[in-house]
Amino acid sequence: MKTWDNIVKISRSVNDGKLSAVDLVNESLSLIDASHDYNAIISTIKKRALERAKIIDNAVKSGKNMGRLAGVPFIAKDNFLTFGGETTAASNILKGFNAPYQSSAIEKLESEGAICVAKANLDAFAHGASTENSDFMITKNPHDKDRVPGGSSGGSAASVVLGLAPFSIGTDTGGSIRQPAAFSGCIGLKPTYGLISRSGVVAMASSTDCIGPMTRTVGEASLLLDIMSGRDSLDSTTIDKDSLGYITLDSDIKGKKIGLVKEYFDESLSPDIKASIDDMVNKLKTAGAEIIDISLPILPSALAVYYILCPAEVSSNLSRYDGQRFGYSYKAANDLNESYSESRALGFGKEAKRRIIIGTYVLSSGYYDAYYKKAQLVRTKIVNDFHKAFKSVDFLLGPVAPTQAFKIGEKSNDPLAMYLSDVLTVAPNLAGIPAITIPIDIKNNLPVAIQLMAAQKNDRKLLGAAKKIEELV
Ligand code: GLN
């Protein structure tokens, strides 16, 4: 496993002419080649990456500063539309799809000199918590090849921990950045909903989809948020970034109130994780934080709400893949209807079909009121309860998942068991609040992490506290 320098240091060295972007890209590409066993990467963008690297090296030679990420290679989850290679979302139905434009997040990273070198594996269309739902392959946990790296951004998390590139980006609709970050052992930030543009990212559930960085340090995640955040005319749900930016953080925890969410510490939580969190809570107390027990009784309903609303939005978003416009198309069809149905039947995997069926069911006229509408009402209650909680505490703290990384195959034949592993991550998505995973321990040779949450638009404050926790580890 390679340990890269901090990305601030790398880009400084590139801008000073001490490091070559071409060398950095080549190094990342050869590490990717050598990491085959882990199945973290679907494809590389070699030609374009090297072209961009050459342009950056030449510009530096002529005295230009190429930005805060000059020459820094990175890996994008394969649901980000990218130039220079296919975007598949790890689904057979998108095989062969070359995006006509790039995602806004990648455009912003590139505008600061970063270079996308590869596309990471994921659960197809980001549906899952282990990468076992990828139509192509299962990514392996960097600490134990018999275990999952988490999901759906499992390839992105494994890439960072294996050191294939200095950072990666992922998406989080119900936990897909935070849970793989916890299982694999890196920082994973899900910002406030709307803070990073969703334009050019394959849509899953549009009302909870978020984009975020996966890094080795909180400081690097802050820099990447600073670069990717802000309004974008291509996504009308985007919001302004914090006027102070996200680079200089206030990591003083003295007098800050941290709520321990009672519902996040029930009997399903692994005692090992509980013990590691207790240790960190004690350190936070010693550092001057005020620890408060808090209850949000609505939280156990969040999983049910998510698994109604998410498939409802998925069923709508996946309707565009009909074999006519992009990706796979069934060639032997006798008419248009057969082309639609066979392209979808053969192109979609099992989990995508399951979500299309559940989503269509909860949106159908006979069941809309009983399921979809009711779930929306409970969602509003979740939003309100978080809002209330953040009137009395600065942060909420809890585990990311009930267990450490589970074994490959352990839950893949039981969708309900897989859905249950999302029980602690979905609520922040439903409420649109920011949340971050910070690794705090290693137990059983696997990472243990905590999840820290803050009120909407308090990403800067959240990152400051996360930095403090990182220091206390
Ligand atoms: N594991 C959750 C699901 O399967 C979350 C996925 C995500 O955040 N993309 O829906």
Side-chain angles (χ1 to χ4, degrees), residues 360-372:
T360 307
Y361 181 84
V362 300
L363 288 173
S364 60
S365 63
Y367 297 101
Y368 179 90
D369 283 352
Y371 294 106
Y372 184 78

Side-chain angles (χ1 to χ4, degrees), residues 202-337:
V202 175
M204 181 179 168
S206 306
S207 80
T208 65
D209 284 348
C210 284
I211 281 132
M214 305 182 82
T215 58
R216 282 157 312 140
T217 64
V218 174
E220 289 166 297
S222 307
L223 170 64
L224 296 170
L225 180 65
D226 197 67
I227 290 167
M228 290 190 285
S229 56
R231 275 188 200 271
D232 178 11
S233 58
L234 298 173
D235 174 0
S236 60
T237 63
T238 47
I239 56 172
D240 287 330
K241 63 195 267 190
D242 193 294
S243 58
L244 296 173
Y246 304 97
I247 310 264
T248 49
L249 303 171
D250 171 15
S251 60
D252 189 2
I253 203 81
K254 238 182 236 133
K256 294 269 164 56
K257 293 183 177 144
I258 301 180
L260 292 185
V261 192
K262 180 175 156 246
E263 288 72 17
Y264 274 28
F265 291 91
D266 71 3
E267 52 308 324
S268 67
L269 179 63
S270 128
D272 282 338
I273 297 180
K274 165 101 176 50
S276 297
I277 295 181
D278 285 348
D279 281 351
M280 180 47 74
V281 167
N282 284 332
K283 287 182 189 169
L284 285 164
K285 252 189 222 163
T286 311
E290 195 183 325
I291 307 293
I292 296 168
D293 287 322
I294 193 165
S295 172
L296 277 85
I298 194 71
L299 278 187
S301 317
L303 193 71
V305 170
Y306 175 81
Y307 275 104
I308 291 171
L309 299 182
C310 167
E313 295 185 33
V314 162
S315 70
S316 163
N317 275 328
L318 292 188
S319 63
R320 73 193 67 169
Y321 307 107
D322 57 5
Q324 313 310 307
R325 283 166 295 174
F326 23 61
Y328 172 72
S329 183
Y330 179 66
K331 290 284 170 273
N334 293 311
D335 56 35
L336 187 58
N337 266 338

Side-chain angles (χ1 to χ4, degrees), residues 129 141-143 148-151 178-185 401 403-406 446-447:
N141 189 297
H143 300 267
V148 303
R178 287 160 290 149
Q179 186 257 25
F183 278 16
S184 295
T403 65
Q404 293 176 275
F406 46 83
L446 294 167

Side-chain angles (χ1 to χ4, degrees), residues 126-129 152 172-176 204 306-307 310 355 422:
H127 305 162
S152 62
D172 191 314
T173 301
S176 275
M204 181 179 168
Y306 175 81
Y307 275 104
C310 167
R355 295 194 190 211
D422 304 328

